[in-house]
Amino acid sequence: MESNTFLRFLFIFLTGALLILFTWTHLPYAPPPPTSATDCATNSPWCTSKNRLQSKQPSTNNILKKPPATTGIRHESKLPGHPLDPLTIKEFNKVRTAIASHPLFKSSPYSLHSVVLDEPEKSLVLQWKKGDPMLPRKAEVVARVNGVSYVLTVDIETGEVKLEETKPASGYPTMTVEDMTSATLAPLANPYFNRTIIQRGVDLKDLACLPIAPGWYGADEENRRVIKVQCYSMKGTVNFYMRPIEGLTVLIDIDTKEVIEISDQGRNIPIPKAANTDYRYSTIDANQRLKFINPISIEQPKGPSFKVEDDHLVRWANWEFHLKPDARAGVIISQARVQDPDSGEMRNVMYKGFSSELFVPYMDPSDAWYFKTYMDAGEYGFGLQAMPLVPLNDCPRNAYYMDGVFAAADGTPYVRSNMVCVFESYAGDIAWRHAESPITGMEIREVRPKVTLVVRMAASVANYDYIVDWEFQTDGLIRIKVGLSGILMVKGTQYVNMNQVSNQEDLYGTLLSENVIGVIHDHYVTFYLDMDIDGSNNSFVNVNIKKKVTSPGQSPRTSILTATKKVAKTEKDAQIQLKLYNPSEFHVINPSKKTRVGNPVGYKLVSGGTAASLLDHNDPPQKRGAFTNNQIWVTPYNRSEQWAGGLFVYQSHGEDTLAVWSERDRPIENKDIVVWYTLGFHHIPCQEDYPIMPTVSSSFDLKPVNFFQSNPILRVPPNVVNDLPVCKPSPAAST
């Protein structure tokens, strides 16, 4: 008996050791990081955010016959051409050298959690013109040394390292990829964990584990950086998310890799079957493949109309703006300007815009779920999770692709290829039109097609895929759209049919398939919008729309609508919760610039995706995500206030958020102001979301309001037949 026990333990130990050895050789500790787009387009672990324990899987890109083409940029020799250009590989290497030689880092192990451009002062950037000497280049570095977080600036030219004064009340920096990958390995060193995995019928080689940020729930979680790990079986499918090992949660100390606690409460819950969970086209039987439509593409005989100069300056139609990938925000749009059709002047609209934070709370209070309240930008790095875009599917023909260059935990630069794409879009929409009725005797039919320019990034934050579009229109409108796709985070259950469920609310979600529950959750994406309408000094105006009852005898009408304008004096005046039956328009105006007839020039925020948080404001996740308590906030410009959840979000308590800053109630009238808008989604999963979700999208607009003297695209020509090639339909299409 003792011999059998010993042999069984030896087998488990050796299996775990072999798995650790195998996985270790596939993680970014042994090989050097890539320095070219080609490396990241292949299989380097430095370029993947899928931090899970598993063997290499075949590529899921079965539509393409060859790997996506890279941008072709030689990043090793690239130099900055604009003060806001991201750090280059040469600059990353200089920063790495400077850090390594600094006394703080010489004798202690350290990790770099963020290495980004320390942007020059806004006033200096606004004055800079192409051909001027480049403004001094500095890097902002967030590092951890001996368990202490530091913020430093590095002068790239001189190598001088300056330690900034930062005393955050709580929280840790964004996790590194190394943090996440090592956390998923740690449970395998624990015999109890290995034993319970095998007892559940899962082979260790089929194990897939995810690192889950724990949020913050009290003093017991103080003074150590922790993470929770949950695992899945990937036997029989690449869609391991649909095969959770329910109720098994491992608490890990990220710094020491120590297993602190194992919660094992789901032994009676079966692991869902793998059947019908694989979503890859190559695995679908040829007789079951759907062929609804023929291939479609926008043809551009003269090529695209946009240009990307110096790798980051985009010019298209009447727009120009600076574009760069960012490890935390994903993409950043800067210095967006639109041309005035009358004067030809390029006029300022927005100095800087980006997705500041994503808050995703799940609505299951059980032990294995209550803590799933993600901050995807501040905890994981929204840009770090961006995957290479797939040509012809993520982005159409004639798209321009832009790579991201980031730093690993030791400061070594690597390239995330095809991270962003830029393309022109035409979906048959109309820019403007008018046709006269025959009763007027005039045969007038004037129509203009709407062609737009789209900047796109897609981040795969573990199971979920977020598609973020910045769309520019020739009439001056900017549309910011977020699409949700990917795979649900699901819960294992004993139920196989709803007739077994006595109280549906106890599911905390929807039964999607046998033994699979899709848990109810929310998505909030908060955007930072530094508006500069014809200059930096702007005001926020609430244009309230109200019913007015007419006076007796005044009119056959008994009620009309009126619009009352109120300029927000301080931050609290601009804390807006949207109300359907108390509507408003929200204008950002330049009070010192007027149109020909005397209206202040401006832009208005047209709301969309208006789901609001219903959580108790004292609930720990909502304290941290208090920036979602309102849909709109306005703050005075402060370069230290860019991240809605605070600089250090991981395990933060919520003392350094947009909601806290705004309580200062600072003056905002005729000031350099920042508008914050939150797109919200309530998601009650349904069977159509299984095994992979069709994309659900919502958007909001920044629209000119009295910015131009009249319709800015009145003079745009219509399309004529000779402008476009004639495509002959196939015989099948003509029958």
Side-chain angles (χ1 to χ4, degrees):
M1 184 70 175
E2 291 179 357
S3 176
N4 290 339
T5 302
F6 173 78
L7 289 174
R8 183 180 180 188
F9 177 78
L10 182 62
F11 171 78
I12 293 171
F13 176 81
L14 289 175
T15 302
L18 286 172
L19 182 58
I20 291 172
L21 179 62
F22 172 79
T23 310
W24 191 263
T25 62
H26 288 73
L27 290 175
Y29 301 101
T35 56
S36 71
T38 303
D39 288 335
C40 271
T42 55
N43 61 1
S44 171
W46 290 87
C47 309
T48 177
S49 66
K50 296 298 185 184
N51 307 294
R52 53 183 183 257
L53 224 57
Q54 64 181 78
S55 58
K56 297 293 180 181
Q57 295 291 341
S59 170
T60 58
N61 182 19
N62 297 297
I63 297 173
L64 295 176
K65 300 302 181 183
K66 57 183 179 180
T70 61
T71 58
I73 294 173
R74 294 188 58 83
H75 292 281
E76 296 84 351
S77 58
K78 190 173 178 295
L79 298 174
H82 187 281
L84 297 179
D85 279 1
L87 297 176
T88 65
I89 282 182
K90 285 184 177 180
E91 290 175 326
F92 274 115
N93 286 328
K94 288 182 178 180
V95 171
R96 186 187 186 197
T97 300
I99 289 290
S101 61
H102 189 272
L104 179 65
F105 301 91
K106 273 188 173 180
S107 58
S108 302
Y110 63 87
S111 60
L112 306 185
H113 293 251
S114 174
V115 183
V116 297
L117 175 74
D118 183 25
E119 294 185 358
E121 291 292 338
K122 181 176 176 179
S123 58
L124 297 177
V125 175
L126 290 172
Q127 295 170 15
W128 186 89
K129 299 289 185 295
K130 186 172 182 179
D132 291 350
M134 182 58 62
L135 296 177
R137 300 276 288 176
K138 295 181 180 181
E140 180 188 81
V141 179
V142 176
R144 276 179 60 77
V145 186
N146 286 333
V148 179
S149 301
Y150 297 90
V151 178
L152 312 98
T153 56
V154 178
D155 188 306
I156 295 173
E157 185 63 32
T158 66
E160 179 186 1
V161 178
K162 180 181 178 183
L163 187 63
E164 300 292 332
E165 287 292 328
T166 55
K167 297 180 181 179
S170 65
Y172 298 104
T174 305
M175 287 186 290
T176 66
V177 173
E178 291 83 350
D179 284 335
M180 291 181 271
T181 51
S182 61
T184 59
L185 284 172
L188 287 168
N190 185 281
Y192 177 86
F193 173 82
N194 290 337
R195 187 162 58 248
T196 193
I197 291 294
I198 293 172
Q199 287 172 351
R200 289 168 185 251
V202 178
D203 196 317
L204 289 175
K205 69 178 176 60
D206 293 326
L207 199 62
C209 296
L210 292 178
I212 302 174
W216 180 80
Y217 293 91
D220 291 344
E221 300 176 9
E222 294 293 335
N223 303 319
R224 67 193 311 176
R225 204 165 59 112
V226 298
I227 195 167
K228 295 192 176 184
V229 174
Q230 293 183 335
C231 299
Y232 305 76
S233 171
M234 62 178 188
K235 185 176 181 179
T237 180
V238 296
N239 192 355
F240 62 88
Y241 300 103
M242 293 297 118
R243 307 201 68 204
I245 302 173
E246 191 57 49
L248 180 62
T249 306
V250 186
L251 182 65
I252 305 289
D253 185 307
I254 300 179
D255 294 322
T256 66
K257 310 305 181 290
E258 173 194 356
V259 173
I260 302 170
E261 179 184 325
I262 297 178
S263 176
D264 189 5
Q265 300 184 4
R267 288 175 173 270
N268 62 333
I269 298 175
I271 296 173
K273 293 180 172 59
N276 302 317
T277 61
D278 201 326
Y279 48 84
R280 296 172 298 168
Y281 192 72
S282 62
T283 66
I284 299 171
D285 185 274
N287 295 324
Q288 295 182 335
R289 294 178 180 177
L290 300 178
K291 297 180 180 178
F292 291 139
I293 58 174
N294 292 325
I296 188 170
S297 176
I298 298 175
E299 303 303 327
Q300 296 180 283
K302 298 180 181 179
S305 302
F306 67 90
K307 294 181 179 179
V308 181
E309 300 177 2
D310 298 325
D311 301 325
H312 293 282
L313 183 63
V314 181
R315 298 184 190 274
W316 173 78
N318 50 349
W319 280 101
E320 68 176 33
F321 55 89
H322 186 272
L323 168 64
K324 69 177 175 184
D326 182 80
R328 184 164 177 170
V331 294
I332 295 177
I333 305 289
S334 300
Q335 292 194 286
R337 304 195 299 169
V338 66
Q339 187 176 43
D340 189 290
D342 297 315
S343 67
E345 174 193 4
M346 297 301 297
R347 299 172 61 188
N348 294 321
V349 174
M350 182 178 71
Y351 180 74
K352 189 175 183 180
F354 58 89
S355 49
S356 175
E357 191 52 87
L358 294 88
F359 178 39
V360 188
Y362 281 77
M363 305 303 170
D364 187 323
S366 65
D367 181 73
W369 280 82
Y370 74 90
F371 55 87
K372 294 181 181 179
T373 53
Y374 304 101
M375 301 276 194
D376 286 335
E379 292 176 337
Y380 292 90
F382 196 44
L384 292 177
Q385 310 306 315
M387 295 292 102
L389 296 164
V390 180
L392 302 184
N393 292 278
D394 277 323
C395 312
R397 185 172 288 147
N398 290 327
Y400 174 91
Y401 292 88
M402 185 177 291
D403 300 336
V405 182
F406 304 136
D410 66 351
T412 306
Y414 66 92
V415 176
R416 178 61 45 81
S417 64
N418 288 14
M419 176 178 163
V420 181
C421 71
V422 183
F423 60 91
E424 287 171 289
S425 176
Y426 174 60
D429 294 327
I430 297 169
W432 64 262
R433 82 177 311 278
H434 180 66
E436 276 295 339
S437 168
I439 64 174
T440 65
M442 295 183 289
E443 291 189 8
I444 296 177
R445 292 189 298 278
E446 287 285 326
V447 187
R448 301 294 184 270
K450 178 183 285 187
V451 178
T452 65
L453 185 76
V454 178
V455 174
R456 174 169 294 167
M457 182 212 73
S460 300
V461 190
N463 55 304
Y464 253 101
D465 288 63
Y466 294 86
I467 305 108
V468 179
D469 286 354
W470 288 78
E471 181 178 306
F472 295 83
Q473 301 188 8
T474 53
D475 59 2
L477 182 143
I478 304 174
R479 175 164 293 157
I480 300 100
K481 182 168 71 172
V482 175
L484 308 178
S485 188
I487 301 169
L488 293 174
M489 182 166 283
V490 302
K491 178 179 181 177
T493 178
Q494 293 177 317
Y495 299 128
V496 297
N497 193 283
M498 285 301 297
N499 60 20
Q500 300 172 298
V501 182
S502 58
N503 186 349
Q504 187 170 342
E505 289 185 0
D506 291 342
L507 294 178
Y508 304 110
T510 305
L511 188 67
L512 303 176
S513 185
E514 290 80 1
N515 307 119
V516 178
I517 293 173
V519 177
I520 296 169
H521 57 283
D522 286 344
H523 297 265
Y524 301 103
V525 188
T526 298
F527 286 87
Y528 172 103
L529 307 162
D530 180 3
M531 305 301 292
D532 273 13
I533 309 300
D534 268 346
S536 293
N537 285 355
N538 290 176
S539 295
F540 181 78
V541 183
N542 186 330
V543 184
N544 190 227
I545 303 169
K546 287 190 174 181
K547 178 179 73 175
K548 180 179 181 181
V549 177
T550 58
S551 303
Q554 180 184 3
S555 171
R557 293 283 299 276
T558 59
S559 63
I560 58 173
L561 297 183
T562 62
T564 304
K565 298 180 179 180
K566 182 181 178 181
V567 177
K569 304 291 185 182
T570 66
E571 290 177 274
K572 288 188 178 180
D573 293 337
Q575 295 179 3
I576 306 295
Q577 292 183 345
L578 299 174
K579 298 178 178 66
L580 183 62
Y581 284 97
N582 185 17
S584 290
E585 286 192 355
F586 307 103
H587 296 188
V588 179
I589 65 166
N590 187 327
S592 64
K593 298 289 181 69
K594 304 288 179 68
T595 65
R596 184 179 68 251
V597 298
N599 291 309
V601 301
Y603 262 67
K604 65 180 177 180
L605 192 158
V606 183
S607 60
T610 54
S613 176
L614 304 178
L615 296 180
D616 190 306
H617 285 192
N618 291 319
D619 193 357
Q622 193 60 29
K623 283 184 178 180
R624 302 176 68 233
F627 51 87
T628 64
N629 290 345
N630 299 312
Q631 286 76 56
I632 299 174
W633 312 73
V634 180
T635 59
Y637 172 80
N638 183 328
R639 62 178 295 172
S640 69
E641 298 176 359
Q642 296 192 74
W643 307 110
L647 177 63
F648 292 166
V649 172
Y650 199 89
Q651 290 179 248
S652 66
H653 305 175
E655 306 101 323
D656 182 31
T657 70
L658 169 59
V660 173
W661 312 331
S662 185
E663 282 303 302
R664 299 172 190 165
D665 205 22
R666 294 163 290 187
I668 57 172
E669 183 181 12
N670 200 18
K671 302 284 187 183
D672 190 355
I673 58 176
V674 175
V675 178
W676 307 75
Y677 184 76
T678 296
L679 274 176
F681 302 78
H682 295 309
H683 191 173
I684 301 176
C686 59
Q687 286 187 239
E688 288 80 1
D689 294 334
Y690 177 90
I692 193 165
M693 288 174 50
T695 301
V696 175
S697 299
S698 196
S699 63
F700 69 97
D701 294 344
L702 301 173
K703 185 179 188 301
V705 57
N706 303 317
F707 185 81
F708 299 107
Q709 299 293 346
S710 61
N711 182 343
I713 53 173
L714 184 66
R715 305 165 201 169
V716 173
N719 280 340
V720 296
V721 173
N722 291 338
D723 290 336
L724 303 170
V726 177
C727 300
K728 295 182 179 180
S730 68
S734 62
T735 57

